[in-house]
Amino acid sequence: MTVDTHPPASARTRRLTHFRPDQLAWLALALTLAVLIIAPLSMLVVKSFTDGTTGGFTLENYVTAYGRARHVQALWNTLVMGLASTVLAVLLAVPTAWACTRTNMPGRTFVRIALFGSFLMPPYLTGVGWILLAGPNAGFINQAWTALTGLEAPLVDIFTFSGLVLVMGLSTFFTIFILVSAAFELLSTEMEDAANILGAGVFRTAFKITLPMAMPTILGSALLTFLVSIALYGVPALISIPARYPVVVIQLAEFFSFPVRIEVAAAYSIPLLGITIGLLLLQRRVLGRKGYTAVGGKGGERRVTDLGAWKWAVFGYVMLVVLLAVAMPLLVLIMAAFSHSWVSGLSLENLTLEHFRYVLFEHSSSQRALITSVATGAAAATLAISLALSISYVVQRRLLPHAGVLAFLCMSPFVIPGIVLAIGFYAVYALPPVGLYGTYIILILAFTTRFLPIAYTTSTNGVRAINPEMEEAVRILGGGQFTAIRKVVAPLLKRTLASGWILIFVPAAQELSTAVFLVGPHTRVVSVVLLDMSEEGTFERLAALGSVLLLIIATIVLIGVKLLGRDFMLRRS
Amino acid sequence: MNGLVLKDLGRRFGAVDAVKDVNIELQAGEFLSLLGPSGCGKTTTLRMIAGFLAPTSGSIILDGVEVSSPRGSLPPEKRGMSMIFQSYAIWPNMTVAQNVAFGLNLRKLDKAEIRRRTGEMLEAVRLNALADRYPSELSGGQQQRVALARALVIRPKLLLLDEPLSNLDASLREDMRFEIKRIHDEFRITSVYVTHDQSEAMVTSDRIAVINQGRVEQIDTPYEIYTKPRTRFVAGFIGRTNQITGRRGAQGVDFAGFTLPGAAFTGSEPDVFISVRPQSLHLSAEEPVTDNALKLKGTIAGRAFLGETWDYVFRSDAGLELRITARPHEVYALGAPVWARASSDQVVQIL
Amino acid sequence: MTLIQRLMPATGLAVLGLLLPASILQAQDLTATEAALYEAAQSENGVTWYTSQLTTEQAEQVCALFSERYEGVGCFPVRANGSSTLQRVVQEIQAGAVQGDVVSTNGVSDFEEFKSLGGLAQYRPENLSGMEPSLAALNDSDGYYFVSGTSPFGFVYNTEIVAPEDVPTSWNDLTDPRWRDQIAIAHPGFSGSAGQWAIAMDRLYGEAFFQGLAANDPQIGRSIADGYTLVTTGERSLTVTSLALGRDAMRDGKPVDLVVPEEGMFLPPSAAAVLADAPNPNSARLFAEFLASAEFSEWLASMGRNPLRTDVSTPEGVPDLTEVNVITVSVAESLENQQRVVEMFRDIFGI
């Protein structure tokens, strides 16, 4: 009786005679999404065809945006960089995920916790860390190289294409790691045993059985990473200008400088939007409707593979990943934060608390920015998770006709690069008649929109886990829909709520791409202040402020993890 | 509760009729089963009764008031019914007692009354010792009884049960059938029970409605359904049977190897269908002397000993195969020549 | 300051206690205009100052001085590079949502843009009467903006890497292949003063200069302060930057020295203006008066920079602007060439 258990349009007939307040509430959700997503996006499209001075229709913006070889080059560069950093991210993430979930490599728990640090660390701080490590002359690695070999030529140079790709890959691989780990964990050992019995060794089994089984997840998460990396602003702002490797986000920023050409920026970002949508459609076609969570077979025993002596080789590789992604950049940042001058390295006379004093008590923007970042991050997380929960509930329970449209809208910010979203938001809400420029509201709304897909995915998983019969039991006993939500759904979703909140809060409190065009003088968030500091080269202060932000976020996450149990995102229960 | 009437009830999903032209009248205190295979529309019917789903045609009348029609439906919370779900739907965030008291709390009864009735009901389902446990600490059967208690404590006009035993293991399922029967006998609450398991329906029900492809094939007492199936579907779905096709001829209706008098059959189509239960057929080594409606000569084509009975496959000389159940001492060898017979009152015409 | 007070009441009060006597003293030498503005500014929310003219730390110092002099009037510096500041102010003017009160950048042509958008208030600070005439000539004749600083550009190099005999002498030395991988510059599309400098270089040496510079693969930052840090840390050995920044570094004991190229030091005047829709108009005008005051010029001198006023003497070791070769770019030249030069730069350097 599976066909008729959840009829697709149960609400429709009810609505005809009983138009109740709860349905008004569902309609309000649709309106909210229109405000958050449809309006900015359609404004972006409209602006791209609008003459900035006359307000009439024009194609001139596209000519300006794509009329120069350099601008087209930036688009091409972006794709190349995105592809290269995605490949790197996969190479970093997949073996690590395999080692942590399917093998007896030592220190698996340590690795998971250490890599969690890479989730807490925003890309631009990883970038700054690597500038300190691999600046061509003064970078620690090159200093050590020169000291060791006497050679003047730098060993590594972060201000190059490969440097850019390295930082990008290190900043984004965690998503792949987490998703692929989850997929590996769902695989039954019996699949591997079957191959072993037929005579396949450990690595052969990994390549022939384990890897292909997780392939949909790997491809899906890689695509996600690609989309994230082509839209990331912080890392290119730090590295791609000195590396002279122009990319789309930098070009977009140029359209926002003298003279400010929002219309051209809009026109320039449309293809980016097209590429993202196209790739997602392609993925859907290739993988079928299963998406990137497709790993069949829950059942079966799960047991780790004994790697024998190889486990130390694997351990070595995984440690390298931990070092590159977390330990080294974090260490140099902390060191810089406590140093008079970061180049001088570790010594007692170089030690100082001066920078912390400066950012905490003297520099008026940083104090305010710390509060703004945490507050807007928390507000956006709360808003996004409430909205997403409501919508995934409506969608899962089919309370509204065409609920699928709401679901689609919720996921659509996925395909909108942060900086493009910011331009759309700016065009609709910053300018009169709305005039939200420089308010916290516009930041919170933009962050909410940006992280709605994460919220929606988490919420949907949570709602899906609640059997609709739980609520029907309330209804039939005499309670309304809202009673069911209040007494049953909400209490059962507490965990989902909390873990979703953390998953959004962390990136929202560090968000840069969306913030960069939307902050006002009094609503600057830490990421923007850090970016401004980076252009003055005051890395010590930047490191101090970055460390304070990391500390605050880590504390909040730790409290959450304490409440939720340690494995809320490291392992699926 | 005076009664529930389903009148020409129908429900379409897209181009598919999940339920069509269902007419059922339920008396107060009656226990009715909706029996049918997966996807036959029985759950859809139940959900329309509950108010979770609106009909696309026809109506549902409860106590003389129309509660569902294509023009709209009274929401479930206003119908005063209870339901037991396939998944039990016990709320994991509440204790056993809180689960049971929930409906009473919604009715804003006073505290003492709620406590008293909850206690009584837990007693009735023998769960009073577990009142403060959480559902995750209960076994499947205990959860089932919580669901039962929660549904009954509000003294519903109508109790709906949606395959409530399908998640239990076999022996527990058998116990719970009688438990449900016992509780129904104790409270006399009008009940509609959805199941695909004929023995569940037989044990618990006053009447059974057999549903196939969205239509009611037959509504009758379990005995009538079994002994007098009206259609080929009912005959085949309820118990095992031998279905034989015959053709009207000059002397009566001709079957493979035997003829029955035409007067015994209704209708005028050339083809006539009959059902003969395996235990209505008897085997003998000698030609039977009594005047039987059905008498055939043949051999034993297959056999299996089931302990309490023999299960024989009889093949007549004309090639007709019949399943025949015999008592343990009636032993016939494979290939042995035998006679099969059945009296005329055991031969049922089906449509 | 309000934030400090909110965060740390004790510290805030202590700071206030230290400032109080000074402000009482200085209150006496306020001009009538200043006194009136001060009075009116009391009820406003302090001044928000968009600036790319100084580093964050210097801007904080200037603000502290201002708030010290005009107790109770807050000052919030928002430091960013020239193009970000330009972008922000234009955005605000176009959005009709002006949040800043005063803006100062190193690109005088920026102010023509603001002016053409109707974003500037016509306010000629009274204190401009004391301004050095050669600088006063650069003030807007319509009174929309005025000079708020000068930061002569030259070379700053790292003395540990560059031998005395290798020190460059001409701007054109930047195209000499021996400086390959040694140079740091700011991107004219991001840094206002670098933009002005690029216009001057284009006038002197044309496109070939940029071709040669590009061949030397300089590291390109977003602000001139970036290149300066690169040289003090030894990441690069030679940069084009504000000589005053170089003197700051020398004073701090960093291994750097400065050179003025033989063609003359490049002089990008910084300008300041009050925004037309400033939310705190009186505080804004008071701050404008402050920028033109002797106290601000004294601070400039104390920082090793050229003062703006005749009544403040140029600090020792700093060349008097009236006595050395100076390359300047007029507003008209800047407006005419800026976009072309920046585009050329972008095309040549590929970024």
Side-chain angles (χ1 to χ4, degrees), chain B residues 30-300:
Chain B
E30 194 179 7
F31 195 115
L32 175 86
S33 285
L34 304 179
L35 177 65
S38 285
C40 72
K42 55 191 192 297
T43 295
T44 305
T45 308
L46 192 77
R47 293 177 62 81
M48 285 194 279
I49 298 173
F52 291 121
L53 198 59
T56 48
S57 60
S59 59
I60 298 173
I61 296 140
L62 183 69
D63 289 346
V65 179
E66 185 182 273
V67 292
S68 289
S69 77
R71 290 178 304 282
S73 287
L74 192 67
E77 57 266 30
K78 302 250 165 72
R79 297 190 173 206
M81 299 178 178
S82 275
M83 186 159 171
I84 295 178
F85 296 88
Q86 202 167 358
S87 67
Y88 321 141
I90 303 297
W91 302 305
N93 54 322
M94 303 180 202
T95 63
V96 168
Q98 285 168 341
N99 263 284
V100 174
F102 190 86
L104 299 175
N105 283 321
L106 283 177
R107 280 161 182 71
K108 308 224 189 307
L109 302 181
D110 71 66
K111 288 257 166 16
E113 171 77 358
I114 291 175
R115 211 168 312 122
R116 188 183 60 76
R117 279 171 65 173
T118 305
E120 278 173 17
M121 186 47 71
L122 286 174
E123 190 106 20
V125 296
R126 292 178 295 228
L127 280 176
N128 30 356
L130 304 177
D132 294 323
R133 295 277 187 93
Y134 278 92
S136 57
E137 302 162 327
L138 302 181
S139 71
Q142 287 166 337
Q143 292 192 20
Q144 179 64 73
R145 293 214 294 275
V146 176
L148 208 56
R150 186 177 70 183
L152 290 173
V153 76
I154 62 162
R155 295 173 192 157
K157 286 184 197 165
L158 188 63
L159 177 65
L160 307 173
L161 303 98
D162 184 11
E163 308 235 12
L165 306 183
S166 59
N167 285 333
L168 296 176
D169 59 50
S171 64
L172 201 52
R173 196 150 58 211
E174 204 149 318
D175 293 345
M176 283 306 293
R177 275 179 211 160
F178 289 101
E179 181 83 4
I180 288 172
K181 177 78 173 161
R182 178 184 72 77
I183 287 171
H184 179 251
D185 291 346
E186 187 178 334
F187 293 93
R188 297 309 304 174
I189 291 172
T190 318
S191 307
V192 179
Y193 187 110
V194 160
T195 182
H196 63 269
D197 182 326
Q198 48 158 315
S199 39
E200 266 176 48
M202 306 283 265
V203 170
T204 52
S205 313
D206 296 323
R207 282 195 297 159
I208 295 174
V210 181
I211 300 182
N212 183 37
Q213 295 185 340
R215 292 162 199 269
V216 175
E217 298 261 343
Q218 185 172 358
I219 308 182
D220 256 318
T221 63
Y223 180 77
E224 290 289 320
I225 292 266
Y226 189 81
T227 56
K228 297 271 161 43
R230 276 228 317 269
T231 64
R232 270 169 286 173
F233 177 79
V234 175
F237 191 72
I238 310 289
R240 295 186 311 153
T241 196
N242 295 294
Q243 292 194 16
I244 310 165
T245 311
R247 224 180 150 74
R248 285 182 216 274
Q251 275 80 41
V253 180
D254 297 323
F255 294 89
F258 63 98
T259 305
L260 294 173
F265 298 98
T266 59
S268 58
E269 278 97 40
D271 283 342
V272 172
F273 306 97
I274 57 168
S275 154
V276 189
R277 298 282 179 195
Q279 58 272 37
S280 304
L281 283 158
H282 299 283
L283 290 169
S284 57
E286 311 296 321
E287 181 175 355
V289 290
T290 46
D291 179 30
N292 284 298
L294 181 157
K295 189 166 79 177
L296 287 168
K297 189 171 179 299
T299 53
I300 298 295

Side-chain angles (χ1 to χ4, degrees), chain A residues 86-289:
Chain A
T86 303
V87 169
L88 177 66
V90 167
L91 291 179
L92 293 170
V94 174
T96 311
W98 175 72
C100 285
T101 54
R102 311 295 303 183
T103 75
N104 67 337
M105 180 192 74
R108 278 165 291 159
T109 310
F110 165 76
V111 171
R112 280 161 177 269
I113 293 172
L115 287 183
F116 190 69
S118 121
F119 169 65
L120 297 184
M121 192 130 139
Y124 46 84
L125 281 187
T126 309
V128 169
W130 272 96
I131 289 175
L132 302 186
L133 281 167
N137 297 312
F140 287 118
I141 296 176
N142 292 318
Q143 280 192 42
W145 171 254
T146 306
L148 280 175
T149 63
L151 293 173
E152 285 293 324
L155 177 67
V156 282
D157 182 355
I158 201 66
F159 298 118
T160 54
F161 172 71
S162 23
L164 182 63
V165 167
L166 175 74
V167 177
M168 278 288 188
L170 291 173
S171 306
T172 53
F173 83 100
F174 186 74
T175 316
I176 305 182
F177 171 76
I178 252 328
L179 293 173
V180 174
S181 289
F184 279 153
E185 267 174 354
L186 285 177
L187 283 183
S188 163
T189 311
E190 286 162 14
M191 308 268 190
E192 291 173 336
D193 289 349
N196 289 149
I197 282 173
L198 295 174
V202 170
F203 290 97
R204 204 182 166 82
T205 306
F207 277 104
K208 294 280 179 190
I209 306 294
T210 321
L211 208 57
M213 293 281 295
M215 201 43 97
T217 313
I218 296 173
L219 288 181
S221 56
L223 177 69
L224 203 65
T225 304
F226 177 81
L227 297 180
V228 167
S229 56
I230 62 173
L232 207 60
Y233 182 68
V235 176
L238 289 168
I239 296 175
S240 93
I241 297 172
R244 284 162 61 179
Y245 189 80
V247 289
V248 165
V249 286
I250 300 299
Q251 190 57 48
L252 279 174
E254 184 196 323
F255 291 134
F256 256 71
S257 68
F258 183 83
V260 181
R261 290 165 289 179
I262 300 170
E263 293 79 14
V264 179
Y268 192 65
S269 53
I270 298 286
L272 203 57
L273 212 56
I275 289 168
T276 344
I277 294 172
L279 279 175
L280 284 179
L281 289 179
L282 187 74
Q283 181 213 20
R284 198 166 257 214
R285 270 196 95 151
V286 172
L287 297 181
R289 308 202 65 210

Side-chain angles (χ1 to χ4, degrees), chain A residues 1 4-5 7-8 10 13-14 17-18 467 469-470 472-481 483 487-488 491-492, chain B residues 13 38 41-44 47 52-54 71-73 76-77 81 85-87 89-93 106-107 150:
Chain A
M1 294 233 94
D4 53 8
T5 317
S10 63
T13 27
R14 224 185 296 146
T17 43
H18 303 272
N467 192 325
E469 292 186 346
M470 295 274 186
E472 289 173 356
V474 173
R475 302 285 307 273
I476 199 78
L477 288 173
Q481 187 96 52
T483 312
K487 297 276 189 179
V488 174
L492 293 182
Chain B
F13 293 119
S38 285
K42 55 191 192 297
T43 295
T44 305
R47 293 177 62 81
F52 291 121
L53 198 59
R71 290 178 304 282
S73 287
E77 57 266 30
M81 299 178 178
F85 296 88
Q86 202 167 358
S87 67
I90 303 297
W91 302 305
N93 54 322
L106 283 177
R107 280 161 182 71
R150 186 177 70 183

Side-chain angles (χ1 to χ4, degrees), chain A residues 68 70 136-138 159 244 246 254 256 258 361 363-364 426 432 437 519 521-522 534-537 541, chain C residues 8 48 50 55-57 60 79 81 86-88 91-92 95 99 217 222 226 229 235 343 346-347 350:
Chain A
R68 288 191 92 90
R70 181 160 49 79
N137 297 312
F159 298 118
R244 284 162 61 179
E254 184 196 323
F256 256 71
F258 183 83
F361 304 116
H363 185 207
S364 54
Y426 180 82
Y437 169 76
V519 293
H522 301 295
S534 77
E535 69 181 32
E536 287 186 74
R541 284 170 182 167
Chain C
M8 319 221 23
T48 297
Y50 288 148
T55 66
T56 309
E57 192 174 6
E60 295 275 356
R79 199 275 170 192
N81 64 47
L86 171 70
Q87 166 219 324
R88 180 160 300 286
Q91 261 185 19
E92 292 189 4
Q99 305 241 330
D217 214 357
R222 281 167 292 155
D226 191 11
T229 323
E235 179 59 62
E343 278 299 301
R346 286 186 188 278
D347 285 339

Side-chain angles (χ1 to χ4, degrees), chain C residues 19-37:
Chain C
L19 298 182
L20 218 53
S23 57
I24 288 168
L25 271 177
Q26 280 158 352
Q28 292 158 358
D29 28 82
L30 296 188
T31 66
T33 312
E34 286 174 345
L37 287 171

